[in-house]
């Protein structure tokens, strides 16, 4: 159902499978392997969350486990395997509201301008040979391998506000030049068009000829017009760049440009939404561009902006200082 009806990603499927497997193992210990699923009560589920806490799991991890269990029982109730969903009687752990630090407009403009100028290599230390003389790993090579591609990564993450998974899922055909947009498949494989700004479009045009050149050199000309937009440096397999590689590239470049150490691909997405809101963009328009199913998810950016205003007040107003 998750895969075929809700269009869940492989990552979600693996996570749900893992959470349910662990819960079933726990229940087999509690009520026996031969027990019926109808014998599971909300007290069992609540006790299971307690076990997770004892193991040192965070409230977020426990909430994720509960979400998987709740969805499972919801499906079983709908299919007639159980009469009701016992997980509905278990409260979701209250999660602390973490408002991520978002780089300022000037900070990101400085980074983007340096990338556009071709200064895409990470910190010089990343380019030094290894102390043990061993060849650099594929992961190490990927970080400094392709300035034009790395600029495009930043332009699409910050300029379009897309997720890391959506970024690596883009194909060449995802670019809708006639609409000045890119076609993105988000969570649940829902399709949306996201505006492609002038700078991002320029980055695409600078990158595509080099991409074609590398593909032809690797003997993979069939991928020139049909393959992934963002390619890995070694041109292996389908040549599609992975989310993990994107994370490494973003972090290395961010550190080399003086941004905070906790900057990652989703930080740039947060910056996209926050900066739009600060400039007066409509919240529902931001929701559409980010691909949020619920407006409440987008409203987190209003909290982020309020938090930034509060910080400015505390740092600058004479009556706020001790």
């Amino acid at each position: 159902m998750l895969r075929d009806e809700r269009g869940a990603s492989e990552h979600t499927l693996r996570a749900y499978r893992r959470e349910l497997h662990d819960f079933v193992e726990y229940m087999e210990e509690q009520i026996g392997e031969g027990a019926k699923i109808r014998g599971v009560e909300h007290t069992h589920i609540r006790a299971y969350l307690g076990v997770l806490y004892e193991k040192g799991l965070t409230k977020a991890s426990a909430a994720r486990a509960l979400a998987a269990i709740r969805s499972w029982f919801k499906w079983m109730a709908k299919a007639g395997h159980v009469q009701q969903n016992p997980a509905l009687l278990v409260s979701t752990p209250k999660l602390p509201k973490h408002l991520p630090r978002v780089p300022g407009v000037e900070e990101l403009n400085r980074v983007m301008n340096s990338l556009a100028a071709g200064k895409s290599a990470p910190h010089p230390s990343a380019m030094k040979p290894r102390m043990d003389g061993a060849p650099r790993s594929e992961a190490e090579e990927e970080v400094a391998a392709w300035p034009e591609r790395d600029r495009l990564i930043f332009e699409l993450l910050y300029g379009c506000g897309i997720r890391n998974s959506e970024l690596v899922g883009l194909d060449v055909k995802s670019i809708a030049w006639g609409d000045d947009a890119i076609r993105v498949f988000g969570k649940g494989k829902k399709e949306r068009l996201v505006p492609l700004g002038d700078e991002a479009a320029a980055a695409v045009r600078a990158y595509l000829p080099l991409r074609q050149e590398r593909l032809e050199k690797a003997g993979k000309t069939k991928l020139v017009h049909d393959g992934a937009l963002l390619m890995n440096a070694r041109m292996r397999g389908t040549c599609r760049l992975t989310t993990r590689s994107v994370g490494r590239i973003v972090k290395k470049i961010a550190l080399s440009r003086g941004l905070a150490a906790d900057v990652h691909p989703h930080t740039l997405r947060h910056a996209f939404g926050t900066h739009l809101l600060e400039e007066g963009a409509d919240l529902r328009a931001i929701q559409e561009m980010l691909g949020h199913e619920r407006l409440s998810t987008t409203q987190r950016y209003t909290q982020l902006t309020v938090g930034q205003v509060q910080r400015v007040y505390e740092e600058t107003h004479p009556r706020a200082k001790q």
Side-chain angles (χ1 to χ4, degrees), residues 20 23 26-27 31 36-49 65-92:
L20 295 178
F23 175 68
Y26 169 80
M27 287 308 305
I31 61 177
K36 299 293 186 181
I37 193 68
R38 293 175 183 268
V40 178
E41 299 179 0
H42 70 279
T43 52
H44 292 123
I45 300 172
R46 191 173 291 133
Y48 176 63
L49 295 185
L66 178 58
I69 295 168
R70 192 177 283 159
S71 294
W72 187 42
F73 274 104
K74 180 181 178 181
W75 172 81
M76 285 195 290
K78 187 177 180 180
H81 299 300
V82 297
Q83 290 184 338
Q84 58 186 3
N85 184 349
L88 291 176
L89 298 176
V90 182
S91 300
T92 301

Side-chain angles (χ1 to χ4, degrees), residues 20-191:
L20 295 178
H21 180 271
D22 291 346
F23 175 68
V24 168
E25 277 194 343
Y26 169 80
M27 287 308 305
E28 286 177 345
E29 295 175 359
Q30 299 302 308
I31 61 177
E33 292 186 17
K36 299 293 186 181
I37 193 68
R38 293 175 183 268
V40 178
E41 299 179 0
H42 70 279
T43 52
H44 292 123
I45 300 172
R46 191 173 291 133
Y48 176 63
L49 295 185
V51 170
L52 296 183
Y53 290 135
E54 290 175 3
K55 290 181 178 179
L57 270 69
T58 63
K59 286 186 177 181
S61 297
R64 184 183 61 199
L66 178 58
I69 295 168
R70 192 177 283 159
S71 294
W72 187 42
F73 274 104
K74 180 181 178 181
W75 172 81
M76 285 195 290
K78 187 177 180 180
H81 299 300
V82 297
Q83 290 184 338
Q84 58 186 3
N85 184 349
L88 291 176
L89 298 176
V90 182
S91 300
T92 301
K94 190 172 183 179
L95 303 179
K97 292 182 179 180
H98 293 297
L99 298 180
R101 181 195 174 278
V102 173
V105 174
E106 290 185 4
E107 285 182 286
L108 282 176
N109 274 337
R110 174 171 49 79
V111 173
M112 308 300 276
N113 290 339
S114 70
L115 293 175
K119 302 172 183 178
S120 177
H123 194 276
S125 62
M127 303 300 294
K128 292 179 181 178
R130 289 170 55 117
M131 294 295 291
D132 57 8
R136 297 174 62 80
S137 68
E138 184 173 353
E140 290 171 322
E141 288 183 6
E142 195 69 67
V143 169
W146 203 337
E148 295 80 9
R149 181 203 60 188
D150 298 347
R151 173 197 173 194
L152 180 56
I153 288 172
F154 269 74
E155 289 289 356
L156 292 176
L157 287 173
Y158 175 54
C160 301
I162 59 178
R163 301 177 177 92
N164 192 351
S165 58
E166 295 169 345
L167 174 76
V168 299
L170 293 175
D171 293 326
V172 175
K173 291 183 177 179
S174 300
I175 305 171
W177 290 110
D179 297 317
D180 292 325
I182 54 173
R183 186 169 286 102
V184 176
F185 288 91
K187 291 184 177 181
K189 298 182 181 177
K190 291 182 180 178
E191 181 181 343

Side-chain angles (χ1 to χ4, degrees), residues 220 223 232 234-240:
K220 297 188 176 184
L223 296 179
N232 61 57
R234 294 193 177 188
M235 293 294 169
R236 288 185 172 178
T238 62
C239 305
R240 190 179 297 275

Side-chain angles (χ1 to χ4, degrees), residues 296-314:
S296 59
T297 306
T298 315
Q299 285 173 332
R300 288 182 302 179
Y301 293 99
T302 64
Q303 297 174 340
L304 187 61
T305 303
V306 169
Q308 291 173 330
V309 170
Q310 180 70 24
R311 188 174 63 249
V312 170
Y313 170 77
E314 291 174 351

Side-chain angles (χ1 to χ4, degrees), residues 277-290:
L277 189 63
E278 288 175 345
E279 293 299 317
D282 178 74
L283 198 60
R284 288 203 175 273
I286 299 175
Q287 176 191 7
E288 183 70 23
M289 286 185 279
L290 289 172

Side-chain angles (χ1 to χ4, degrees), residues 245-267:
S245 290
V246 170
R248 283 192 291 259
I249 292 166
V250 168
K251 183 169 284 292
K252 283 288 187 181
I253 291 177
L255 285 172
S256 72
R257 299 305 193 279
L259 295 182
D262 59 353
V263 169
H264 49 79
H266 211 70
T267 307

